[in-house]
Amino acid sequence: MKKVITYGTFDFLHNGHINILRRAKEYGDYLIVGISSDEFNALKGKKAYYSFEQRKAILEAIRYVDKVIPEHTWDQKVEDIKKYDIDVFIMGDDWKGKFDFLKEYCEVIYLPRTVGISTTKIKTDLNQFLKNG
Ligand code: C2G
């Protein structure tokens, strides 16, 4: 069984998230997603609207996702890759190059981001919508 892993916050789930999860699954048979804990989000300078538990429940409902694990630190990826016997590590290309050190343990692939959507854009647009009705 070919196993794939990816990581992220996945707040305000949108089509960009779905696109990367769908494409990541195409590289294997089993997709694990490491979801950033609320504490790790703070380290990333992010504050998610949905809690870790909520984001975990949402991700577990997606047909491409086989298992969700917590992401607590930047350094856990090597341990996760070994623990879950991962063949392919996938991230959006906004991270291009940042995880090349994992090539020692598995294939590392950066996929093009989905243009025109982001959690930040959703928040900005929603604010505008609420102001203008
Ligand atoms: N993504 C995408 N297209 C978008 C938005 C996001 O392909 N329009 C991808 C990102 O490239 C990432 C994944 O969706 O691979 C999750 O994005 P975020 O939730 O923003 O995750 P991030 O904060 O980048 O956390 O250790 C890695 C970090 O946890 C990644």
Side-chain angles (χ1 to χ4, degrees):
M1 177 163 68
K2 198 167 180 192
K3 298 170 85 176
V4 185
I5 197 165
T6 189
Y7 294 81
T9 298
F10 294 99
D11 195 24
F12 284 129
L13 195 74
H14 53 68
N15 56 301
H17 294 138
I18 297 299
N19 286 342
I20 191 128
L21 294 170
R22 186 188 64 254
R23 288 176 296 164
K25 184 60 176 281
E26 287 165 6
Y27 282 85
D29 314 290
Y30 190 88
L31 174 62
I32 298 178
V33 182
I35 294 199
S36 309
S37 66
D38 297 330
E39 298 72 18
F40 183 55
N41 265 331
L43 273 180
K44 291 198 290 186
K46 279 187 153 183
K47 183 164 178 13
Y49 173 74
Y50 289 120
S51 69
F52 171 78
E53 287 308 323
Q54 289 174 307
R55 287 179 285 121
K56 180 172 183 287
I58 292 167
L59 263 280
E60 283 170 342
I62 297 171
R63 71 174 72 167
Y64 309 117
V65 177
D66 296 289
K67 182 178 181 63
V68 173
I69 61 172
E71 180 186 31
H72 294 297
T73 68
W74 288 112
D75 307 331
Q76 71 180 75
K77 294 182 176 69
V78 173
E79 184 191 317
D80 289 345
I81 286 164
K82 289 176 180 171
K83 177 177 176 184
Y84 295 106
D85 191 22
I86 298 297
D87 301 289
V88 189
F89 168 88
I90 287 188
M91 286 303 291
D93 62 5
D94 47 319
W95 292 93
K96 194 166 181 57
K98 300 284 190 311
F99 300 111
D100 287 356
F101 66 93
L102 295 173
K103 284 181 177 168
E104 198 180 327
Y105 307 97
C106 65
E107 208 179 335
V108 174
I109 297 174
Y110 302 99
L111 296 175
R113 273 174 74 91
T114 301
V115 177
I117 184 75
S118 67
T119 303
T120 310
K121 181 173 175 3
I122 293 170
K123 288 178 185 170
T124 312
D125 291 356
L126 195 53
N127 259 325
Q128 208 52 43
F129 175 80
L130 293 172
K131 267 196 207 112
N132 304 339

